[in-house]
Amino acid sequence: MRRLGAAVRLIWQGHRVGALVTVAGSLVLGVVPVTAAWLTKVIVDGLAGHRANGGTGQVLLVGGLVLTLLFGQLGQGWLRYVQEQVSRRIEHAAQSELFGTLNRLPGLAMFERPSFHNRLQLAQRAGQAAPYQLVTVANGLLQAGSSLVGFLVALIAVSPVVAGLACVAVVPQLVAELRLARRRVDVQVEVSPAQRRTLFYARLQSEPQAAKELRIFGLGDFFHGRMVRELSTIMNIERTLGWRVFRVQAGLDALSAVAVGVGIALVVFRAMHGLLTPGDVVVALAALPALALAVAGTVRQLAAGAEALLLIGHFRALAGLAPDVAAIGATAQPLRDGITLEDVWFRYGDDLPWVLCGVTLRIPYRHSVAVVGLNGAGKSSLVKLLTRLYEPTKGRILWDGVDLADLDPDSVRQRIGVVFQDFMTYDLTAAENIGLGDLRHLDDPARVRSVAELAGVHAAIERLPDGYATMLSRTHGSEHGDERGGVMPSGGQWQRLALARMLMRADRDLLILDEPSSGLDAEAEFEVHRLVHQRTSGHTRLLVSHRLNAVRMADLIVVLEAGVVAEAGTHQELISSGGRYADLFRRQADGYRD
Ligand SMILES: Nc1ncnc2c1ncn2[C@@H]1O[C@H](COP(=O)(O)OP(=O)(O)OP(=O)(O)O)[C@@H](O)[C@H]1O
């Protein structure tokens, strides 16, 4: 019932007038065949002398029959057109609702589950197809149903026994078709992971980023083979289903043919004994196959409706997904004292190893804290906890003494500027790639330009064919229809663009720079750090870097090792203590000297 409610809501949001019009149209068109059959009967009875229609009456009846048939033909075309319009609007509403829900999910954990993506794929398909399917089913049901009722009434008038036979034949058809509907949905669920893998292999073979390695390592045939294997798996599952559908429906068709045959025999038998007029025979002979068709149509429509409702269940499950990070709470206030991590433990899943094992750390207001450590030490995970993309498994993170878990994540994020280690590269213009850092200033060229200058990428952008309006993509044209194809910045230039994007938020309370210069050459790295330090000094900052020289000016340096804080102090203190940091620093310095 809830699924039906969800479907009706989608249809209502999509195009309520269109939906009502198609329902009314279907009802009217449903009575066309039976009207035509009755007019035929009256004409035939008039011709056979069983009725006194008169010459004018016969002409009027024939005219009425022609008009009825014409109305039926034109009406069907019109109904199809309105249905398509309704369908487009419903699909639009469904996709908008689905992705609106996804965007409202505050955390990351959900996006890292294969089951979520399988369900998303099903939900997308359900959102695209199922509501429309329901509209066509409803219309089909109304048409087939009203034809069915009409012919049944006609048949009851001619022979109640034959009509009863037709009714009994409905039961096995309905049961079999409903079981097939469930199996169809099960198959869609079953093939969903293989379909997603197929898409993944298809993308690898078509995207420029992967094209390099595929060609150099000769991986094209390897991935092509894997894709073909997945396609074969899908094909085999669907072929088995197709064979089952064919067998069941062939059985049902045979049953229906037998029922029609028995019905016709009964009609002929009664007519031979003078119990039926020629008109009755015409009606019965027209009604029986038409009734069989209407029964099969109605049953298949019911099964398609059941299938659509089962699919809508996936849509509902996703559209009603509970957020993995509580999305409500008090609004975060401007930072005045600092951020404290209290015995923070974290792992990405119950069955995965601990990443942080009791980290206690303070980032005082207007101070800079650097986190260093070997690969996999948990530095980026710490950043994800601070930005509330995940919740700590144990322990607390306090924003001026208030647990982050009690604050509205959006309001916290509005107070933070971040450049991630795995930053995004958007297939958009250079200006947009920077301006996205603060949507309020997306169309503020002066501001965009000033942060680009700070990040040292302005000169490179100025040299592009269309300057800041140049598309930074080789696969997408611009939104304004320019399909020339843009340019591809270098790795270091992309990193500077990400840095500039973060600098759009340089006025925020907490700035987090996770490896902001790993793609830069040594000279550029030094320059970027100097500029960022200058531009953001006086802000509360968390810096993550492998290049210890780049973070030596931080107020506090924390060495993270195996998920715990192994050492903490200023650069001088850590060097003097001769521990892990001093060792790492010496080795990096030696590396530069050699
Ligand atoms: N999304 C994730 N799901 C599961 N495990 C993850 C995820 N992200 C990171 N990990 C694991 O958490 C551990 C810490 O990773 P993290 O990225 O925080 O380390 P890091 O210190 O930033 O490393 P690096 O210096 O290489 O960037 C690693 O063992 C990694 O495999």
Side-chain angles (χ1 to χ4, degrees), residues 129-161:
Y132 174 63
Q133 207 172 334
L134 275 178
V135 172
T136 48
V137 161
N139 295 336
L141 261 183
L142 287 170
Q143 274 193 56
S146 42
S147 282
L148 190 145
V149 171
F151 281 120
L152 203 59
V153 168
L155 211 54
I156 289 171
V158 173
S159 168
V161 180

Side-chain angles (χ1 to χ4, degrees), residues 112 348 352 355 374-381 384 390 421 546:
E112 296 185 337
Y348 283 93
L352 293 176
V355 174
L374 299 181
N375 289 134
K379 304 179 295 294
S380 297
S381 303
K384 290 188 224 164
Y390 291 90
Q421 184 182 23
H546 284 290

